[in-house]
Amino acid sequence: MERQWTKKVTKYEILKYLIQYRKQWFNHVTYLWGEPFIQWVFWDALKLWKKLGFTILVTTNATTIHLQREAEKYLPYINELILSIEAIDSDLQQKISRSKVVVHWDKVFENINLYWKGSYLKANIVITNDNLHELLNIVTYIHQKWMHNIAITYPDINLSYYWKEHLKKSVTPTYSDAIIEIIKVNNYCEEHNINLKIVDFPFCIFPKNQMETYIKKTDEFDYWNRLKVWTDLYEGADPTSNVIDRNDTIPRERKQIDTCNNCKYSDMCWWPSLDYGVLYWYNEIKNIEHE
């Protein structure tokens, strides 16, 4: 179960909810959204989670854990670690982040080997127009660091934050362009026994003759796990409920379009983003008929 906050929280609020959830037999904490190691409340929260006996999963872009003092402080507490890796090359990192921040990935992996004692390590690559043609090189580098769990994620489309032309130029590739590179990565991963997940792509854009194989690589294949998102906007909700209205907009601003009606995968697929059609229309979305 995940909980999202729309406001800043104190360590006392976090403690209150952790005790509540522990009494309900929850035993796992996932910390994501925002860079955890620069959040002022994270260190206190991390110690509280561990004291209460939670297993802890943290998603990070590794901005600070290339530093020995930071890695030595935080990594021993973390059971499961997901690294957000959009580029290895420093110039490409800065181009994607639109900042001067550079993550020294060789040092990050050196510190992970030294200080992290957890059980699950994964890399998540958000695919963009900026890194699209470097995708296979990024995956190869990650594999050379002995990582065997990799996810490729389609970016969120946020027209309220970015201009349409910026999204098309730098952030959001077409599904068709993305799949060309993903097929190369998938072939590499199968050759090297890498567990590949492909996240936030409609099923119908996968190669038709291999569709079932690709679908099993998506997190949507087990989509119920992603429905248990409980925010403070829905305080009365049951966090263990599997009920969802798939006629409404679902997480990550997805909604069924007319083409998806009666598709054989309509009860499993997350469908395209609402704003994808604003950028590229929906010409790539196909109805997969029942056999």
Side-chain angles (χ1 to χ4, degrees):
M1 187 273 293
E2 296 178 4
R3 181 184 181 91
Q4 300 174 8
W5 277 284
T6 56
K7 59 182 177 67
K8 288 185 177 181
V9 293
T10 68
K11 64 181 180 182
Y12 304 105
E13 289 177 286
I14 292 174
L15 177 60
K16 179 183 74 173
Y17 285 112
L18 287 176
I19 292 173
Q20 173 188 329
Y21 295 147
R22 202 70 181 95
K23 289 179 178 178
Q24 295 173 358
W25 301 102
F26 288 103
N27 61 6
H28 179 85
V29 171
T30 296
Y31 193 101
L32 69 168
W33 291 41
E35 175 50 35
F37 299 117
I38 61 173
Q39 302 291 331
W40 68 274
V41 75
F42 180 70
W43 174 235
D44 288 323
L46 193 61
K47 291 184 291 183
L48 290 171
W49 296 334
K50 185 60 72 174
K51 189 172 183 179
L52 288 169
F54 286 94
T55 58
I56 301 165
L57 183 152
V58 172
T59 297
T60 174
N61 59 26
T63 303
T64 63
I65 59 172
H66 63 273
L67 301 171
Q68 181 178 350
R69 66 176 184 275
E70 296 293 297
E72 188 175 8
K73 177 180 178 180
Y74 289 110
L75 290 182
Y77 285 86
I78 298 169
N79 304 97
E80 301 174 4
L81 188 61
I82 298 179
L83 305 175
S84 298
I85 306 176
E86 272 64 73
I88 306 302
D89 175 77
S90 58
D91 290 338
L92 184 54
Q93 286 187 48
Q94 291 177 326
K95 181 180 180 181
I96 292 172
S97 68
R98 278 36 178 195
S99 73
K100 295 183 179 181
V101 175
V102 173
V103 177
H104 303 283
W105 284 109
D106 286 342
K107 190 64 179 177
V108 168
F109 284 106
E110 181 181 326
N111 285 338
I112 287 172
N113 288 331
L114 285 173
Y115 303 113
W116 181 71
K117 308 300 180 185
S119 58
Y120 181 76
L121 182 63
K122 176 182 176 181
N124 181 60
I125 307 166
V126 177
I127 191 170
T128 69
N129 273 324
D130 284 338
N131 70 4
L132 183 62
H133 299 294
E134 281 295 306
L135 189 61
L136 182 57
N137 290 335
I138 297 169
V139 169
T140 302
Y141 172 86
I142 293 168
H143 176 240
Q144 289 170 349
K145 298 300 181 181
W146 301 101
M147 290 188 68
H148 297 281
N149 295 291
I150 298 174
I152 297 174
T153 304
Y154 194 78
D156 288 335
I157 302 176
N158 190 339
L159 284 169
S160 65
Y161 189 80
Y162 292 115
W163 290 349
K164 176 180 175 180
E165 292 308 313
H166 172 71
L167 283 171
K168 293 181 70 172
K169 178 181 178 182
S170 299
V171 180
T172 312
T174 65
Y175 289 136
S176 299
D177 287 343
I179 286 301
I180 291 171
E181 301 304 320
I182 287 174
I183 289 172
K184 298 175 187 176
V185 168
N186 181 64
N187 293 338
Y188 178 89
C189 289
E190 290 195 343
E191 180 182 348
H192 293 88
N193 296 316
I194 297 168
N195 178 29
L196 176 67
K197 290 292 183 182
I198 305 169
V199 184
D200 288 332
F201 287 86
F203 292 172
C204 60
I205 56 98
F206 297 125
K208 188 173 182 180
N209 62 338
Q210 297 177 292
M211 189 169 295
E212 293 295 332
T213 299
Y214 276 87
I215 287 173
K216 290 178 181 178
K217 295 178 184 290
T218 68
D219 63 348
E220 286 91 329
F221 186 71
D222 188 21
Y223 73 94
W224 285 120
N225 286 338
R226 297 188 63 200
L227 301 183
K228 299 175 183 178
V229 178
W230 191 34
T231 77
D232 55 337
L233 302 177
Y234 305 97
E235 278 290 0
D238 176 4
T240 63
S241 173
N242 282 341
V243 177
I244 186 170
D245 182 359
R246 293 184 66 83
N247 294 314
D248 198 0
T249 302
I250 57 177
R252 300 175 74 94
E253 294 299 307
R254 304 305 186 88
K255 191 167 185 178
Q256 181 171 330
I257 61 175
D258 290 343
T259 306
C260 302
N261 291 337
N262 301 315
C263 176
K264 70 179 290 187
Y265 298 114
S266 62
D267 289 335
M268 294 173 58
C269 181
W270 280 107
W271 312 312
S273 165
L274 290 175
D275 289 331
Y276 187 87
V278 178
L279 297 182
Y280 300 117
W281 303 98
Y282 287 119
N283 296 335
E284 297 158 290
I285 306 302
K286 305 179 292 290
N287 186 302
I288 309 300
E289 297 180 356
H290 292 266
E291 297 176 355

